[in-house]
Amino acid sequence: GLSAIFHGKRFMEYKTLRDGARIPMLGLGTYKAGGGEGERVVARAAELGYRLFDTAAMYGNEDAVGRGIRASGIKREDFFVVTKLSHKSYGRAEAAVAESLDRLGLGYIDLMLLHWPFGDYYAAWRVLESFKKKGVIKSIGVSNFDPARLIDLINYNELPPSVDQIETHLLCRRSAERKWMDKYGVAHMGYAPLGHGVKNSMLMLPEVRRAAAKYGVTEAQIALRCQVQSGVIVIPKTVREERLRENLDIFGFEIDKDDMESLAKLDKNEPFIGTPDAPEKAEAALLW
Ligand code: NDP
């Protein structure tokens, strides 16, 4: 179920994962936010009320995220830190997890995901299971797994993933995938919740503009609120102070049923990035 607690001037909602961990419904994406800037943005976001941060070994900024969190002066236990094991490291997963732990410098990882379903992800999953048993990783999950691969992983391993992080936004709501995730108790975390930036014009769509005007909020807030209301954990990325505030401030209004239905009609089920089963994607992964 969802519960709300008060952080400073804003509310944050939480969901309970199958393993009992409580995860914020909204966090900060950090892809392309690294170095001194990444550290400052993370520390500032923490001050504003962000508690979940999404990073990855592949982003090269786990160190900056860790430093930002430590610089915030807020208790470690209040944060939910998500990172990802690169498929390039599945053959040396134990060492790679230790390196992530070291770069973050936060003692433990709240949630670690297999970044892509490429390479020897079974071996990597078993390493995540062992770290979870030791308590160094609190929750384990996957990213970019389609439902068939999820079912396979769940059936032939000891521990099931608590989360699948897949591209999800107004033009790609993932309702088919979601039915399977719900059936197997896997929480839906959506990446690129604003459509991966300005490449597309989803925030300019008339349905989105109308809803923004009606509720007196921004188009981005409609995009994020709509997903949170349908149970998706969102991780919008920004490095700008104004947008950090804007993207966080989505817990004080509710989109009504009619508007939720009109927004649902925008779904074209077309991801921009996350098409792991496309042959082109598998080929491209060899080059990363
Ligand atoms: P988003 O959908 O979060 O969009 C980010 C872009 O939108 C940036 O260009 C940002 O610019 C802009 N933006 C942010 N807030 C607003 C706003 N309020 N109004 C208008 N524009 C805004 O894209 P991402 O691809 O970054 O996805 C979010 C996160 O998801 C990533 O950072 C990463 O953590 C994760 N991710 C995971 C993947 C996976 O394979 N598991 C793949 C891709 C992403 P600016 O910074 O200038 O504000």
Side-chain angles (χ1 to χ4, degrees), residues 160-180:
S162 293
V163 167
D164 190 2
Q165 183 186 113
I166 53 176
E167 180 180 344
T168 310
H169 43 69
L170 288 175
L171 303 182
C172 185
R173 300 289 292 278
R174 304 284 197 180
S175 44
E177 288 85 349
R178 178 60 178 283
K179 286 198 188 100
W180 292 104

Side-chain angles (χ1 to χ4, degrees), residues 29-31 54 59 84 115-116 143-144 165 191-197 203 220 235-240 243 246-247 273:
T30 68
Y31 180 56
D54 181 79
Y59 304 166
K84 314 182 194 85
H115 206 145
W116 289 93
S143 179
N144 296 302
Q165 183 186 113
Y191 72 68
L194 299 172
H196 203 46
L203 301 182
I235 47 169
K237 174 260 173 186
T238 184
V239 293
R240 305 189 204 193
R243 288 176 172 176
E246 177 184 340
N247 296 348
I273 319 159

Side-chain angles (χ1 to χ4, degrees), residues 127-159:
V127 169
L128 291 193
E129 287 179 332
S130 74
F131 275 97
K132 175 165 168 50
K133 285 180 193 166
K134 283 186 256 172
V136 192
I137 301 176
K138 304 292 179 192
S139 301
I140 57 178
V142 295
S143 179
N144 296 302
F145 274 51
D146 76 9
R149 291 190 199 219
L150 263 186
I151 292 166
D152 174 35
L153 193 77
I154 290 167
N155 271 295
Y156 295 98
N157 287 286
E158 191 184 337
L159 299 178

